[in-house]
PDB file of all heavy atoms in Angstrom:
ATOM      1  N   LEU A 713     111.252  89.097  86.500  1.00 98.00           N
ATOM      2  CA  LEU A 713     111.352  89.745  87.806  1.00 98.00           C
ATOM      3  C   LEU A 713     112.782  90.182  88.092  1.00 98.00           C
ATOM      4  O   LEU A 713     113.023  91.287  88.597  1.00 98.00           O
ATOM      5  CB  LEU A 713     110.856  88.797  88.900  1.00 98.00           C
ATOM      6  CG  LEU A 713     110.969  89.304  90.346  1.00 98.00           C
ATOM      7  CD1 LEU A 713     110.211  90.611  90.544  1.00 98.00           C
ATOM      8  CD2 LEU A 713     110.466  88.231  91.324  1.00 98.00           C
ATOM      9  N   ARG A 714     113.734  89.334  87.743  1.00 98.00           N
ATOM     10  CA  ARG A 714     115.148  89.687  87.960  1.00 98.00           C
ATOM     11  C   ARG A 714     115.519  90.946  87.173  1.00 98.00           C
ATOM     12  O   ARG A 714     116.205  91.828  87.688  1.00 98.00           O
ATOM     13  CB  ARG A 714     116.036  88.512  87.526  1.00 98.00           C
ATOM     14  CG  ARG A 714     117.530  88.758  87.712  1.00 98.00           C
ATOM     15  CD  ARG A 714     118.346  87.587  87.187  1.00 98.00           C
ATOM     16  NE  ARG A 714     118.104  87.345  85.773  1.00 98.00           N
ATOM     17  CZ  ARG A 714     118.660  88.065  84.801  1.00 98.00           C
ATOM     18  NH1 ARG A 714     119.471  89.081  85.079  1.00 98.00           N
ATOM     19  NH2 ARG A 714     118.401  87.781  83.534  1.00 98.00           N
ATOM     20  N   ARG A 715     115.033  91.052  85.929  1.00 98.00           N
ATOM     21  CA  ARG A 715     115.352  92.235  85.126  1.00 98.00           C
ATOM     22  C   ARG A 715     114.703  93.497  85.688  1.00 98.00           C
ATOM     23  O   ARG A 715     115.302  94.578  85.647  1.00 98.00           O
ATOM     24  CB  ARG A 715     114.931  92.011  83.677  1.00 98.00           C
ATOM     25  CG  ARG A 715     115.804  91.015  82.932  1.00 98.00           C
ATOM     26  CD  ARG A 715     115.593  91.099  81.429  1.00 98.00           C
ATOM     27  NE  ARG A 715     114.249  90.712  81.025  1.00 98.00           N
ATOM     28  CZ  ARG A 715     113.893  89.475  80.699  1.00 98.00           C
ATOM     29  NH1 ARG A 715     114.784  88.488  80.753  1.00 98.00           N
ATOM     30  NH2 ARG A 715     112.654  89.215  80.319  1.00 98.00           N
ATOM     31  N   VAL A 716     113.486  93.370  86.212  1.00 98.00           N
ATOM     32  CA  VAL A 716     112.851  94.532  86.845  1.00 98.00           C
ATOM     33  C   VAL A 716     113.700  95.018  88.013  1.00 98.00           C
ATOM     34  O   VAL A 716     113.957  96.225  88.174  1.00 98.00           O
ATOM     35  CB  VAL A 716     111.420  94.191  87.323  1.00 98.00           C
ATOM     36  CG1 VAL A 716     110.859  95.311  88.196  1.00 98.00           C
ATOM     37  CG2 VAL A 716     110.494  93.971  86.133  1.00 98.00           C
ATOM     38  N   ARG A 717     114.178  94.089  88.830  1.00 98.00           N
ATOM     39  CA  ARG A 717     114.985  94.464  89.988  1.00 98.00           C
ATOM     40  C   ARG A 717     116.318  95.061  89.560  1.00 98.00           C
ATOM     41  O   ARG A 717     116.817  95.999  90.193  1.00 98.00           O
ATOM     42  CB  ARG A 717     115.194  93.247  90.882  1.00 98.00           C
ATOM     43  CG  ARG A 717     113.928  92.828  91.621  1.00 98.00           C
ATOM     44  CD  ARG A 717     114.113  91.527  92.372  1.00 98.00           C
ATOM     45  NE  ARG A 717     112.964  91.243  93.238  1.00 98.00           N
ATOM     46  CZ  ARG A 717     112.798  90.110  93.902  1.00 98.00           C
ATOM     47  NH1 ARG A 717     113.708  89.137  93.806  1.00 98.00           N
ATOM     48  NH2 ARG A 717     111.734  89.933  94.661  1.00 98.00           N
ATOM     49  N   GLU A 718     116.906  94.537  88.510  1.00 98.00           N
ATOM     50  CA  GLU A 718     118.205  95.040  88.053  1.00 98.00           C
ATOM     51  C   GLU A 718     118.099  96.420  87.420  1.00 98.00           C
ATOM     52  O   GLU A 718     118.944  97.293  87.644  1.00 98.00           O
ATOM     53  CB  GLU A 718     118.815  94.067  87.043  1.00 98.00           C
ATOM     54  CG  GLU A 718     119.359  92.796  87.642  1.00 98.00           C
ATOM     55  CD  GLU A 718     119.951  91.878  86.583  1.00 98.00           C
ATOM     56  OE1 GLU A 718     119.783  92.171  85.371  1.00 98.00           O
ATOM     57  OE2 GLU A 718     120.586  90.868  86.966  1.00 98.00           O
ATOM     58  N   ARG A 719     117.062  96.637  86.627  1.00 98.00           N
ATOM     59  CA  ARG A 719     116.964  97.870  85.839  1.00 98.00           C
ATOM     60  C   ARG A 719     116.140  98.962  86.514  1.00 98.00           C
ATOM     61  O   ARG A 719     116.251 100.127  86.132  1.00 98.00           O
ATOM     62  CB  ARG A 719     116.364  97.546  84.472  1.00 98.00           C
ATOM     63  CG  ARG A 719     117.169  96.526  83.681  1.00 98.00           C
ATOM     64  CD  ARG A 719     116.528  96.232  82.341  1.00 98.00           C
ATOM     65  NE  ARG A 719     117.128  95.073  81.692  1.00 98.00           N
ATOM     66  CZ  ARG A 719     116.735  94.578  80.526  1.00 98.00           C
ATOM     67  NH1 ARG A 719     115.724  95.146  79.869  1.00 98.00           N
ATOM     68  NH2 ARG A 719     117.330  93.510  80.014  1.00 98.00           N
ATOM     69  N   SER A 720     115.313  98.600  87.488  1.00 98.00           N
ATOM     70  CA  SER A 720     114.472  99.549  88.205  1.00 98.00           C
ATOM     71  C   SER A 720     113.800 100.543  87.254  1.00 98.00           C
ATOM     72  O   SER A 720     114.016 101.745  87.323  1.00 98.00           O
ATOM     73  CB  SER A 720     115.299 100.317  89.252  1.00 98.00           C
ATOM     74  OG  SER A 720     114.466 101.078  90.095  1.00 98.00           O
ATOM     75  N   PRO A 721     112.949 100.058  86.351  1.00 98.00           N
ATOM     76  CA  PRO A 721     112.349 100.946  85.360  1.00 98.00           C
ATOM     77  C   PRO A 721     111.458 102.008  85.991  1.00 98.00           C
ATOM     78  O   PRO A 721     110.757 101.759  86.974  1.00 98.00           O
ATOM     79  CB  PRO A 721     111.531  99.989  84.494  1.00 98.00           C
ATOM     80  CG  PRO A 721     111.247  98.830  85.383  1.00 98.00           C
ATOM     81  CD  PRO A 721     112.459  98.672  86.234  1.00 98.00           C
ATOM     82  N   LEU A 722     111.494 103.193  85.404  1.00 98.00           N
ATOM     83  CA  LEU A 722     110.633 104.292  85.837  1.00 98.00           C
ATOM     84  C   LEU A 722     109.246 104.086  85.219  1.00 98.00           C
ATOM     85  O   LEU A 722     109.104 104.054  83.992  1.00 98.00           O
ATOM     86  CB  LEU A 722     111.221 105.628  85.391  1.00 98.00           C
ATOM     87  CG  LEU A 722     110.404 106.875  85.692  1.00 98.00           C
ATOM     88  CD1 LEU A 722     110.183 107.054  87.194  1.00 98.00           C
ATOM     89  CD2 LEU A 722     111.081 108.115  85.105  1.00 98.00           C
ATOM     90  N   VAL A 723     108.243 103.934  86.066  1.00 98.00           N
ATOM     91  CA  VAL A 723     106.875 103.681  85.617  1.00 98.00           C
ATOM     92  C   VAL A 723     106.021 104.892  85.962  1.00 98.00           C
ATOM     93  O   VAL A 723     105.796 105.206  87.134  1.00 98.00           O
ATOM     94  CB  VAL A 723     106.294 102.406  86.262  1.00 98.00           C
ATOM     95  CG1 VAL A 723     104.893 102.149  85.725  1.00 98.00           C
ATOM     96  CG2 VAL A 723     107.204 101.210  85.994  1.00 98.00           C
ATOM     97  N   HIS A 724     105.560 105.568  84.929  1.00 98.00           N
ATOM     98  CA  HIS A 724     104.727 106.766  85.070  1.00 98.00           C
ATOM     99  C   HIS A 724     103.276 106.324  85.186  1.00 98.00           C
ATOM    100  O   HIS A 724     102.742 105.675  84.287  1.00 98.00           O
ATOM    101  CB  HIS A 724     104.941 107.654  83.833  1.00 98.00           C
ATOM    102  CG  HIS A 724     104.079 108.867  83.793  1.00 98.00           C
ATOM    103  ND1 HIS A 724     104.015 109.681  82.681  1.00 98.00           N
ATOM    104  CD2 HIS A 724     103.250 109.439  84.695  1.00 98.00           C
ATOM    105  CE1 HIS A 724     103.189 110.679  82.906  1.00 98.00           C
ATOM    106  NE2 HIS A 724     102.706 110.540  84.121  1.00 98.00           N
ATOM    107  N   ASN A 725     102.633 106.679  86.297  1.00 98.00           N
ATOM    108  CA  ASN A 725     101.258 106.281  86.556  1.00 98.00           C
ATOM    109  C   ASN A 725     100.331 107.498  86.557  1.00 98.00           C
ATOM    110  O   ASN A 725     100.533 108.442  87.321  1.00 98.00           O
ATOM    111  CB  ASN A 725     101.137 105.599  87.927  1.00 98.00           C
ATOM    112  CG  ASN A 725     101.942 104.333  88.031  1.00 98.00           C
ATOM    113  OD1 ASN A 725     101.452 103.238  87.801  1.00 98.00           O
ATOM    114  ND2 ASN A 725     103.216 104.474  88.394  1.00 98.00           N
ATOM    115  N   ILE A 726      99.342 107.473  85.686  1.00 98.00           N
ATOM    116  CA  ILE A 726      98.210 108.382  85.827  1.00 98.00           C
ATOM    117  C   ILE A 726      97.091 107.514  86.370  1.00 98.00           C
ATOM    118  O   ILE A 726      96.424 106.793  85.629  1.00 98.00           O
ATOM    119  CB  ILE A 726      97.829 109.029  84.487  1.00 98.00           C
ATOM    120  CG1 ILE A 726      99.019 109.809  83.915  1.00 98.00           C
ATOM    121  CG2 ILE A 726      96.630 109.953  84.668  1.00 98.00           C
ATOM    122  CD1 ILE A 726      98.738 110.464  82.569  1.00 98.00           C
ATOM    123  N   THR A 727      96.908 107.552  87.664  1.00 97.00           N
ATOM    124  CA  THR A 727      96.025 106.588  88.314  1.00 97.00           C
ATOM    125  C   THR A 727      95.080 107.300  89.250  1.00 97.00           C
ATOM    126  O   THR A 727      95.038 108.539  89.298  1.00 97.00           O
ATOM    127  CB  THR A 727      96.850 105.506  89.025  1.00 97.00           C
ATOM    128  OG1 THR A 727      95.996 104.438  89.414  1.00 97.00           O
ATOM    129  CG2 THR A 727      97.596 106.056  90.226  1.00 97.00           C
ATOM    130  N   ASN A 728      94.296 106.535  89.992  1.00 96.00           N
ATOM    131  CA  ASN A 728      93.226 107.149  90.775  1.00 96.00           C
ATOM    132  C   ASN A 728      93.633 107.406  92.216  1.00 96.00           C
ATOM    133  O   ASN A 728      94.579 106.824  92.733  1.00 96.00           O
ATOM    134  CB  ASN A 728      91.960 106.302  90.676  1.00 96.00           C
ATOM    135  CG  ASN A 728      92.095 104.948  91.338  1.00 96.00           C
ATOM    136  OD1 ASN A 728      92.055 104.836  92.558  1.00 96.00           O
ATOM    137  ND2 ASN A 728      92.242 103.906  90.528  1.00 96.00           N
ATOM    138  N   TYR A 729      92.873 108.304  92.855  1.00 94.00           N
ATOM    139  CA  TYR A 729      93.180 108.705  94.228  1.00 94.00           C
ATOM    140  C   TYR A 729      93.172 107.543  95.202  1.00 94.00           C
ATOM    141  O   TYR A 729      93.910 107.543  96.179  1.00 94.00           O
ATOM    142  CB  TYR A 729      92.137 109.728  94.711  1.00 94.00           C
ATOM    143  CG  TYR A 729      92.123 111.035  93.978  1.00 94.00           C
ATOM    144  CD1 TYR A 729      90.975 111.461  93.322  1.00 94.00           C
ATOM    145  CD2 TYR A 729      93.244 111.858  93.958  1.00 94.00           C
ATOM    146  CE1 TYR A 729      90.938 112.676  92.657  1.00 94.00           C
ATOM    147  CE2 TYR A 729      93.222 113.068  93.286  1.00 94.00           C
ATOM    148  CZ  TYR A 729      92.069 113.479  92.644  1.00 94.00           C
ATOM    149  OH  TYR A 729      92.036 114.679  91.989  1.00 94.00           O
ATOM    150  N   VAL A 730      92.322 106.552  94.954  1.00 95.00           N
ATOM    151  CA  VAL A 730      92.136 105.464  95.912  1.00 95.00           C
ATOM    152  C   VAL A 730      93.397 104.621  96.058  1.00 95.00           C
ATOM    153  O   VAL A 730      93.717 104.155  97.155  1.00 95.00           O
ATOM    154  CB  VAL A 730      90.951 104.576  95.474  1.00 95.00           C
ATOM    155  CG1 VAL A 730      90.744 103.417  96.443  1.00 95.00           C
ATOM    156  CG2 VAL A 730      89.679 105.404  95.344  1.00 95.00           C
ATOM    157  N   VAL A 731      94.142 104.441  94.961  1.00 95.00           N
ATOM    158  CA  VAL A 731      95.184 103.414  94.942  1.00 95.00           C
ATOM    159  C   VAL A 731      96.612 103.949  94.820  1.00 95.00           C
ATOM    160  O   VAL A 731      97.546 103.163  94.726  1.00 95.00           O
ATOM    161  CB  VAL A 731      94.951 102.415  93.787  1.00 95.00           C
ATOM    162  CG1 VAL A 731      93.575 101.797  93.889  1.00 95.00           C
ATOM    163  CG2 VAL A 731      95.153 103.074  92.434  1.00 95.00           C
ATOM    164  N   MET A 732      96.792 105.249  94.825  1.00 96.00           N
ATOM    165  CA  MET A 732      98.135 105.776  94.564  1.00 96.00           C
ATOM    166  C   MET A 732      99.172 105.207  95.522  1.00 96.00           C
ATOM    167  O   MET A 732     100.256 104.776  95.102  1.00 96.00           O
ATOM    168  CB  MET A 732      98.136 107.303  94.655  1.00 96.00           C
ATOM    169  CG  MET A 732      97.468 107.979  93.489  1.00 96.00           C
ATOM    170  SD  MET A 732      97.666 109.777  93.617  1.00 96.00           S
ATOM    171  CE  MET A 732      96.560 110.296  92.315  1.00 96.00           C
ATOM    172  N   ASN A 733      98.867 105.181  96.803  1.00 96.00           N
ATOM    173  CA  ASN A 733      99.829 104.680  97.781  1.00 96.00           C
ATOM    174  C   ASN A 733     100.096 103.195  97.578  1.00 96.00           C
ATOM    175  O   ASN A 733     101.252 102.750  97.563  1.00 96.00           O
ATOM    176  CB  ASN A 733      99.310 104.942  99.195  1.00 96.00           C
ATOM    177  CG  ASN A 733     100.286 104.511 100.261  1.00 96.00           C
ATOM    178  OD1 ASN A 733     101.348 105.094 100.420  1.00 96.00           O
ATOM    179  ND2 ASN A 733      99.925 103.486 100.998  1.00 96.00           N
ATOM    180  N   ASN A 734      99.021 102.404  97.403  1.00 95.00           N
ATOM    181  CA  ASN A 734      99.182 100.955  97.185  1.00 95.00           C
ATOM    182  C   ASN A 734     100.045 100.681  95.959  1.00 95.00           C
ATOM    183  O   ASN A 734     100.959  99.844  95.977  1.00 95.00           O
ATOM    184  CB  ASN A 734      97.820 100.290  96.956  1.00 95.00           C
ATOM    185  CG  ASN A 734      96.807 100.601  98.021  1.00 95.00           C
ATOM    186  OD1 ASN A 734      96.568 101.754  98.351  1.00 95.00           O
ATOM    187  ND2 ASN A 734      96.183  99.562  98.558  1.00 95.00           N
ATOM    188  N   THR A 735      99.733 101.399  94.876  1.00 97.00           N
ATOM    189  CA  THR A 735     100.432 101.171  93.611  1.00 97.00           C
ATOM    190  C   THR A 735     101.899 101.531  93.713  1.00 97.00           C
ATOM    191  O   THR A 735     102.774 100.776  93.271  1.00 97.00           O
ATOM    192  CB  THR A 735      99.756 101.986  92.497  1.00 97.00           C
ATOM    193  OG1 THR A 735      98.407 101.540  92.345  1.00 97.00           O
ATOM    194  CG2 THR A 735     100.488 101.835  91.187  1.00 97.00           C
ATOM    195  N   ALA A 736     102.175 102.687  94.288  1.00 98.00           N
ATOM    196  CA  ALA A 736     103.564 103.129  94.411  1.00 98.00           C
ATOM    197  C   ALA A 736     104.368 102.160  95.270  1.00 98.00           C
ATOM    198  O   ALA A 736     105.503 101.793  94.938  1.00 98.00           O
ATOM    199  CB  ALA A 736     103.623 104.539  94.994  1.00 98.00           C
ATOM    200  N   ASN A 737     103.789 101.720  96.384  1.00 98.00           N
ATOM    201  CA  ASN A 737     104.512 100.806  97.268  1.00 98.00           C
ATOM    202  C   ASN A 737     104.738  99.451  96.613  1.00 98.00           C
ATOM    203  O   ASN A 737     105.797  98.835  96.794  1.00 98.00           O
ATOM    204  CB  ASN A 737     103.751 100.637  98.588  1.00 98.00           C
ATOM    205  CG  ASN A 737     104.000 101.785  99.536  1.00 98.00           C
ATOM    206  OD1 ASN A 737     105.076 102.373  99.551  1.00 98.00           O
ATOM    207  ND2 ASN A 737     103.002 102.130 100.318  1.00 98.00           N
ATOM    208  N   ALA A 738     103.765  98.958  95.849  1.00 98.00           N
ATOM    209  CA  ALA A 738     103.946  97.673  95.169  1.00 98.00           C
ATOM    210  C   ALA A 738     105.047  97.767  94.119  1.00 98.00           C
ATOM    211  O   ALA A 738     105.872  96.850  93.978  1.00 98.00           O
ATOM    212  CB  ALA A 738     102.637  97.230  94.533  1.00 98.00           C
ATOM    213  N   LEU A 739     105.081  98.858  93.379  1.00 98.00           N
ATOM    214  CA  LEU A 739     106.142  99.036  92.383  1.00 98.00           C
ATOM    215  C   LEU A 739     107.508  99.121  93.052  1.00 98.00           C
ATOM    216  O   LEU A 739     108.475  98.518  92.580  1.00 98.00           O
ATOM    217  CB  LEU A 739     105.876 100.287  91.547  1.00 98.00           C
ATOM    218  CG  LEU A 739     104.770 100.153  90.495  1.00 98.00           C
ATOM    219  CD1 LEU A 739     104.392 101.518  89.943  1.00 98.00           C
ATOM    220  CD2 LEU A 739     105.197  99.221  89.363  1.00 98.00           C
ATOM    221  N   LEU A 740     107.592  99.842  94.138  1.00 98.00           N
ATOM    222  CA  LEU A 740     108.861  99.911  94.862  1.00 98.00           C
ATOM    223  C   LEU A 740     109.268  98.533  95.373  1.00 98.00           C
ATOM    224  O   LEU A 740     110.432  98.136  95.277  1.00 98.00           O
ATOM    225  CB  LEU A 740     108.742 100.882  96.033  1.00 98.00           C
ATOM    226  CG  LEU A 740     108.777 102.369  95.701  1.00 98.00           C
ATOM    227  CD1 LEU A 740     108.398 103.189  96.932  1.00 98.00           C
ATOM    228  CD2 LEU A 740     110.161 102.783  95.194  1.00 98.00           C
ATOM    229  N   ALA A 741     108.312  97.789  95.932  1.00 98.00           N
ATOM    230  CA  ALA A 741     108.625  96.480  96.497  1.00 98.00           C
ATOM    231  C   ALA A 741     109.125  95.509  95.440  1.00 98.00           C
ATOM    232  O   ALA A 741     110.009  94.690  95.709  1.00 98.00           O
ATOM    233  CB  ALA A 741     107.389  95.909  97.199  1.00 98.00           C
ATOM    234  N   VAL A 742     108.573  95.598  94.228  1.00 98.00           N
ATOM    235  CA  VAL A 742     108.985  94.663  93.180  1.00 98.00           C
ATOM    236  C   VAL A 742     110.299  95.080  92.529  1.00 98.00           C
ATOM    237  O   VAL A 742     110.906  94.302  91.783  1.00 98.00           O
ATOM    238  CB  VAL A 742     107.851  94.512  92.139  1.00 98.00           C
ATOM    239  CG1 VAL A 742     107.892  95.602  91.097  1.00 98.00           C
ATOM    240  CG2 VAL A 742     107.870  93.132  91.502  1.00 98.00           C
ATOM    241  N   GLY A 743     110.735  96.325  92.798  1.00 98.00           N
ATOM    242  CA  GLY A 743     112.023  96.771  92.284  1.00 98.00           C
ATOM    243  C   GLY A 743     111.958  97.889  91.274  1.00 98.00           C
ATOM    244  O   GLY A 743     112.989  98.361  90.796  1.00 98.00           O
ATOM    245  N   ALA A 744     110.743  98.338  90.920  1.00 98.00           N
ATOM    246  CA  ALA A 744     110.591  99.422  89.944  1.00 98.00           C
ATOM    247  C   ALA A 744     110.609 100.776  90.641  1.00 98.00           C
ATOM    248  O   ALA A 744     110.620 100.861  91.873  1.00 98.00           O
ATOM    249  CB  ALA A 744     109.293  99.241  89.158  1.00 98.00           C
ATOM    250  N   SER A 745     110.587 101.830  89.830  1.00 98.00           N
ATOM    251  CA  SER A 745     110.590 103.203  90.347  1.00 98.00           C
ATOM    252  C   SER A 745     109.289 103.877  89.941  1.00 98.00           C
ATOM    253  O   SER A 745     109.078 104.157  88.758  1.00 98.00           O
ATOM    254  CB  SER A 745     111.782 103.979  89.784  1.00 98.00           C
ATOM    255  OG  SER A 745     111.770 105.327  90.234  1.00 98.00           O
TER     256      SER A 745
END
Side-chain angles (χ1 to χ4, degrees):
L713 177 58
R714 180 183 59 79
R715 289 195 295 269
V716 170
R717 289 173 171 173
E718 286 180 351
R719 301 180 192 178
S720 189
L722 177 61
V723 182
H724 176 188
N725 298 266
I726 301 179
T727 192
N728 67 76
Y729 296 121
V730 179
V731 304
M732 287 185 190
N733 183 68
N734 308 52
T735 298
N737 279 328
L739 285 168
L740 284 170
V742 84
S745 178

